[in-house]
Amino acid sequence: MTRQKSTHELVKDIQQAGGCSHPIRLRGEFVNQATGEVNERPLLVACKDRRAVLCPSCSYLYKADAWIVVSTGLIGGKGVPTSISAHPRLFLTLTAPSFGPVHARRADGSCQPGRLRYCGHGRSLVCSRRHDDADPAIGSPLCDVCYHYGDAVLWNAESSRLWNRTFEQIRRRLAIALGVSYEELAQQVRLNYLKVAEFQRRGLAHFHVVLRADGPGAPFSPPPPDLTAQRLAGIIESVVKDFSITGPRGTVSWGQQFHLADASTLSRDDLRIAAYLAKYATKSADGSMDFAQRFRSRSEILNINAPAHLRQLALTAWDLAQDPSLVHLNTRGHAHAFGFRGQLITKSRHYSTRFQDLRAARAAHMKAPHSDDPVAGSFSYDGQGYDDPRAATIAEFLHQLTLEARRDAKGDGANAQGSPS
Ligand SMILES: [Zn+2]
Ligand SMILES: [Zn+2]
Ligand SMILES: [Zn+2]
């Protein structure tokens, strides 16, 4: 039986793990630079999980990084010239189509009003209620038998490919508009983007995209002056409206809800867009613990205490894997994300600064001079989480204290827009 660690030792462990709640435990060999002596000891490395329900501290750092990555692509900074804020920049939101009527809260507060009518299962397709925003019914279908669960899951599974192909089509139309071939487009203009996926209450992914036009030269160089944001917006709108790809069970296209805004007309709000996008990057599929991790079995899904609609989406994703024509979509491995298998944040290479550069800069800043350094390549995985469960609780408590101290230092309201910095 090992002796219990003191609070001082626990805090030292937490510091080594960068404040993480569930660090990766490694065993490594370290060599003393002065004496050449090699000894083995454990090393704690931050889990770097972006999801707030799994690790508040790592998620906070991720959100701060996401905020920098998004905002520097809009207004410059961290090596990106501020001149990019004069480039055409658009902010677009792309949604999934409808897979059956769901309870909703529209702008006027109504749900599904209209003359009484029923589906073939005898369920009313009208809802005259006014749902409270916190009502868990929002997003769930009026008839769960009518609802096209398979198509909804397949849309999530194909949505990243739909975006990639849409983006390619936007560049093709842009080439035509500029009177050049598709191959010559890169010598005229380059489109850079950052895309954040977020789950709607109905369990379908939708995308927020910041798109910027740059010139053909060095990264962040100015685009041709005749390419205005309005002209680009017109091209994007015409592509999104009727573009589709062929999926294993039919065509996959975008929903009717589509928003496009010229980011330069929102100049004072640019940073608010960044904070808004960064916020979504730290959520699990429904923001809860239930869908934060992969399921290991079908019964695990049946036993979660989640809204029936979300559970049904996860079950559908699990079961679709039995169809040999859908194996390549790995919906079972992504049942916790209702079939969605993309990254939550994706971006083109020259959108702005990179996550790994921000992490490297932080690591260099935090690294204390050590008398001993690890022997290269001598680490083995030892598990996840602190060996003493009290450490995770202390880590989360310390994280809350840090947040409060920062809020106090800034004065009330500084974080009102969710800006994590
Ligand atoms: Zn962590
Ligand atoms: Zn309703
Ligand atoms: Zn029905």
Side-chain angles (χ1 to χ4, degrees):
M1 187 76 195
T2 49
R3 145 194 100 76
Q4 224 185 26
K5 284 184 174 176
S6 69
T7 310
H8 178 76
E9 288 170 310
L10 292 178
V11 171
K12 274 187 80 173
D13 280 356
I14 295 165
Q15 280 178 338
Q16 187 190 55
C20 176
S21 303
H22 307 280
I24 317 278
R25 291 197 312 274
L26 300 172
R27 288 209 74 80
E29 289 178 345
F30 290 78
V31 60
N32 187 309
Q33 295 300 333
T35 64
E37 184 193 346
V38 176
N39 53 55
E40 199 198 74
R41 59 184 167 83
L43 178 72
L44 295 166
V45 182
C47 73
K48 298 192 181 74
D49 204 294
R50 59 169 178 77
R51 291 159 301 183
V53 286
L54 288 182
C55 186
S57 166
C58 290
S59 149
Y60 182 82
L61 285 180
Y62 183 87
K63 186 164 145 183
D65 284 354
W67 188 79
I68 292 171
V69 168
V70 179
S71 66
T72 52
L74 284 164
I75 59 167
K78 300 264 175 199
V80 180
T82 53
S83 56
I84 57 133
S85 60
H87 298 196
R89 294 160 306 151
L90 297 168
F91 181 55
L92 52 148
T93 304
L94 299 156
T95 60
S98 168
F99 297 102
V102 297
H103 291 283
R105 186 185 159 80
R106 295 172 203 284
D108 64 358
S110 69
C111 178
Q112 299 279 0
R115 272 214 354 249
L116 198 59
R117 59 192 186 281
Y118 296 92
C119 74
H121 309 98
R123 311 253 181 101
S124 168
L125 294 179
V126 170
C127 175
S128 52
R129 277 154 66 196
R130 296 175 83 83
H131 298 281
D132 182 83
D133 196 46
D135 190 341
I138 294 179
S140 66
L142 275 77
C143 175
D144 58 347
V145 192
C146 281
Y147 195 80
H148 299 285
Y149 277 98
D151 292 340
V153 167
L154 290 178
W155 192 90
N156 276 340
E158 292 276 37
S159 59
S160 298
R161 187 166 74 93
L162 177 62
W163 161 255
N164 289 334
R165 294 288 315 283
T166 302
F167 185 58
E168 183 192 318
Q169 186 65 11
I170 290 169
R171 285 180 297 161
R172 285 189 187 282
R173 295 267 180 94
L174 180 59
I176 293 167
L178 295 175
V180 295
S181 71
Y182 182 60
E183 290 69 31
E184 287 165 342
L185 181 67
Q187 292 151 32
Q188 299 272 327
V189 59
R190 288 171 197 264
L191 295 184
N192 281 302
Y193 73 89
L194 177 138
K195 160 170 118 353
V196 178
E198 182 206 352
F199 284 91
Q200 292 176 305
R201 301 276 284 270
R202 56 182 176 143
L204 285 155
H206 75 292
F207 300 127
H208 301 286
V209 184
V210 178
L211 195 135
R212 189 186 70 229
D214 293 345
F220 317 118
S221 59
D226 57 336
L227 181 62
T228 61
Q230 290 89 321
R231 203 169 163 206
L232 194 54
I235 292 167
I236 293 171
E237 197 159 3
S238 73
V239 171
V240 170
K241 257 197 344 217
D242 59 16
F243 188 74
S244 64
I245 57 172
T246 306
R249 290 190 184 171
T251 59
V252 181
S253 57
W254 300 107
Q256 303 265 307
Q257 269 185 303
F258 165 68
H259 304 285
L260 186 68
D262 180 347
S264 58
T265 64
L266 307 165
S267 55
R268 270 187 64 235
D269 290 333
D270 279 355
L271 290 177
R272 204 166 296 171
I273 294 176
Y276 175 75
L277 292 177
K279 187 176 96 188
Y280 288 116
T282 56
K283 288 210 306 189
S284 58
D286 72 334
S288 80
M289 197 68 181
D290 295 323
F291 296 103
Q293 276 165 319
R294 282 186 182 213
F295 294 113
R296 283 156 300 183
S297 67
R298 195 175 192 277
S299 61
E300 200 180 348
I301 304 174
L302 285 169
N303 287 325
I304 54 171
N305 183 25
H309 174 60
L310 299 184
R311 199 168 51 223
Q312 189 55 44
L313 281 170
L315 278 177
T316 306
W318 185 274
D319 293 342
L320 278 176
Q322 286 161 0
D323 181 337
S325 73
L326 304 177
V327 169
H328 65 290
L329 296 174
N330 189 16
T331 52
R332 185 165 289 183
H334 297 92
H336 65 297
F338 317 132
F340 179 75
R341 60 210 177 100
Q343 298 286 325
L344 283 201
I345 294 191
T346 51
K347 58 191 194 62
S348 58
R349 198 158 141 241
H350 293 301
Y351 171 75
S352 69
T353 185
R354 301 185 307 169
F355 276 99
Q356 59 257 52
D357 293 341
L358 293 173
R359 280 191 213 114
R362 188 164 52 236
H365 177 70
M366 308 248 299
K367 196 169 188 275
H370 263 299
S371 62
D372 59 353
D373 277 322
V375 180
S378 65
F379 287 97
S380 60
Y381 180 75
D382 191 35
Q384 187 159 13
Y386 291 100
D387 48 9
D388 187 321
R390 291 175 304 161
T393 313
I394 296 173
E396 280 166 31
F397 176 70
L398 288 175
H399 173 66
Q400 287 307 322
L401 279 185
T402 316
L403 290 189
E404 273 167 39
R406 261 178 224 182
R407 230 169 270 147
D408 287 350
K410 279 185 174 182
D412 274 342
N415 265 12
Q417 284 125 40
S419 154
S421 72

